[in-house]
Amino acid sequence: MLNNNSSKPIYVQIAHWIESEILNNHFQADQKVYSQYQLAEMYTINPATAAKGLNLLVDEKILYKKRGLGMFVTEDAKQIILNKRRNQTLKQLVDELVQEANRLHISKQELITMIQDANEEEVQT
């Protein structure tokens, strides 16, 4: 799950992993998520790093704190994550893909065909 060689900080990777767990329905609305200490033990990281990842999700309104009880998934968490990934992550990847296609002189239609082919392969697996 965590990649020490990634350019993404560990706390961002922790937050991204929890987001993926929410999207995959491993955590539901109002369900408690792992504590900073559980995450630290699971991934052999500093508890402060794990807390930073959790707090990032609190700042984004994906998790909320219950004093003395831990962190829980907000009612709108899934939609917030979907919007964030669509509007930030996916848009950035598409922008980079289009730039690279332009550098390689790949036409718009060729690029669309490549995306459609990749999508069909994904559906078949």
Side-chain angles (χ1 to χ4, degrees):
M1 197 275 334
L2 296 182
N3 180 354
N4 291 328
N5 297 324
S6 174
S7 61
K8 284 185 182 178
I10 297 293
Y11 75 94
V12 172
Q13 292 181 53
I14 290 284
H16 191 266
W17 177 75
I18 292 172
E19 288 178 352
S20 295
E21 291 293 290
I22 292 168
L23 290 177
N24 291 327
N25 295 316
H26 295 136
F27 291 118
Q28 305 290 325
D30 296 315
Q31 185 177 355
K32 185 176 180 179
V33 299
Y34 299 113
S35 73
Q36 69 187 64
Y37 300 106
Q38 289 171 314
L39 289 168
E41 188 175 319
M42 286 169 57
Y43 297 109
T44 320
I45 59 172
N46 188 307
T49 301
K52 194 170 180 182
L54 291 169
N55 286 323
L56 181 65
L57 297 175
V58 170
D59 293 344
E60 294 176 352
K61 310 272 189 268
I62 293 168
L63 299 180
Y64 65 94
K65 296 178 185 180
K66 281 189 180 179
R67 189 175 173 148
L69 298 176
M71 304 272 193
F72 294 79
V73 179
T74 64
E75 196 69 37
D76 299 326
K78 202 168 194 175
Q79 194 58 50
I80 292 168
I81 297 165
L82 288 171
N83 289 340
K84 179 175 92 167
R85 289 194 179 181
R86 181 179 294 119
N87 296 329
Q88 292 175 7
T89 308
L90 199 55
K91 183 178 178 343
Q92 179 183 350
L93 289 170
V94 169
D95 289 346
E96 290 172 8
L97 178 65
V98 169
Q99 289 174 7
E100 185 65 15
N102 288 336
R103 281 192 288 273
L104 298 172
H105 305 289
I106 294 173
S107 72
K108 179 179 175 181
Q109 189 54 52
E110 283 179 284
L111 186 57
I112 290 170
T113 300
M114 291 172 132
I115 292 169
Q116 288 171 334
D117 290 347
N119 190 46
E120 287 175 20
E121 290 174 14
E122 180 66 25
V123 169
Q124 291 174 3
T125 58

